[in-house]
Amino acid sequence: MLLVLSAEHRAHLGCLPRAGDAAVGELGHLALEQLRRGAAPRACEATARKLNIDIDTVQHGVEGLTYLLIESSKLMISENDFQDSIHALGFSDELNKSLLQLYLDNRKEIRSILGELSPRLPSYHSLEWRLDVQLASRSLRQQIKPAVTMKLHLNQNEDQTAQVLQTDPATLLHLIQQLEQALGEMKTNHCRRIVRNMK
């Protein structure tokens, strides 16, 4: 699976050859620190002075590297796919090797950081449901008005919560069809590849 870079990210990574092959290690270190602790403008200024390049080149290089490392780590792309992805940028072999080494050395830590940043979503525990049918009212003597009431029990951070939902059968059938369609799409080769890379 190749990583597709937008024109903006290509432009940001295009700053790397101007910074020099030796700067990749410095900019890679800044990119990792940005992932761990957030943006650090003072560190960028210090690196710009140290490497004798302008601050914009450092910031763009760090942004480009951060994106490259995050997306590659998210997809857990292989060594060959990473090389093919950055080969399209037209960098020197030395720079490509430096980027590959940076990715291989840090992808597990980046995935760990991304895992900590992802929101903890509630998970399913159980479902209670009831079907109510209104057969008549004061104004209408003969009517059939069905409603499905569901109580969805969820686990979130070791606490249980409940959500009460009510809908008509037609909407519920439509929702079931959409969910079945989504489950069917999960069986395609493309989705299986994505899920495999997310693990």
Side-chain angles (χ1 to χ4, degrees):
M1 175 185 297
L2 293 179
L3 181 64
V4 179
L5 298 168
S6 68
E8 181 185 2
H9 292 114
R10 284 173 178 263
H12 286 243
L13 287 168
C15 296
L16 295 178
R18 281 180 282 164
D21 291 346
V24 172
E26 292 284 336
L27 297 179
H29 177 72
L30 278 176
L32 292 168
E33 284 302 310
Q34 185 171 335
L35 277 172
R36 291 181 193 120
R37 295 186 181 88
R42 287 185 183 167
C44 287
E45 290 170 10
T47 302
R49 280 193 301 275
K50 180 180 176 183
L51 298 172
N52 199 23
I53 53 177
D54 64 293
I55 186 77
D56 288 340
T57 301
V58 171
Q59 288 175 336
H60 289 312
V62 168
E63 287 172 19
L65 277 175
T66 302
Y67 179 81
L68 178 69
L69 293 172
I70 285 175
E71 293 304 311
S72 300
S73 299
K74 260 193 224 175
L75 300 172
M76 246 350 228
I77 62 176
S78 68
E79 186 175 330
N80 290 334
D81 287 342
F82 185 86
Q83 286 176 319
D84 291 342
S85 298
I86 60 174
H87 182 72
L89 297 170
F91 294 158
S92 67
D93 289 343
E94 190 64 35
L95 183 55
N96 286 345
K97 286 178 187 173
S98 299
L99 290 172
L100 175 62
Q101 198 57 49
L102 183 67
Y103 168 63
L104 293 176
D105 290 345
N106 298 291
R107 64 182 169 185
K108 287 183 181 173
E109 181 186 356
I110 293 168
R111 282 184 67 83
S112 171
I113 292 168
L114 294 175
E116 291 171 12
L117 295 175
S118 63
R120 302 283 180 235
L121 299 174
S123 61
Y124 171 83
H125 181 264
S126 64
L127 176 73
E128 298 175 47
W129 63 276
R130 182 179 76 221
L131 177 65
D132 296 315
V133 180
Q134 184 177 352
L135 298 174
S137 66
R138 288 182 186 174
S139 58
L140 291 170
R141 297 216 180 252
Q142 290 185 340
Q143 68 174 7
I144 298 177
K145 190 176 174 185
V148 179
T149 305
M150 297 169 281
K151 189 172 187 181
L152 184 61
H153 297 273
L154 304 170
N155 292 329
Q156 186 167 20
N157 300 332
E158 300 177 12
D159 294 330
Q160 277 200 359
T161 59
Q163 299 287 330
V164 177
L165 310 165
Q166 189 171 46
T167 186
D168 61 286
T171 304
L172 185 60
L173 283 173
H174 177 69
L175 181 62
I176 290 168
Q177 289 170 352
Q178 293 296 310
L179 289 171
E180 286 175 346
Q181 181 181 349
L183 285 172
E185 288 177 12
M186 284 299 295
K187 293 177 183 173
T188 64
N189 288 335
H190 179 67
C191 285
R192 284 183 180 164
R193 209 172 313 126
I194 291 171
V195 169
R196 205 170 36 243
N197 287 324
M198 288 171 60
K199 291 179 181 174

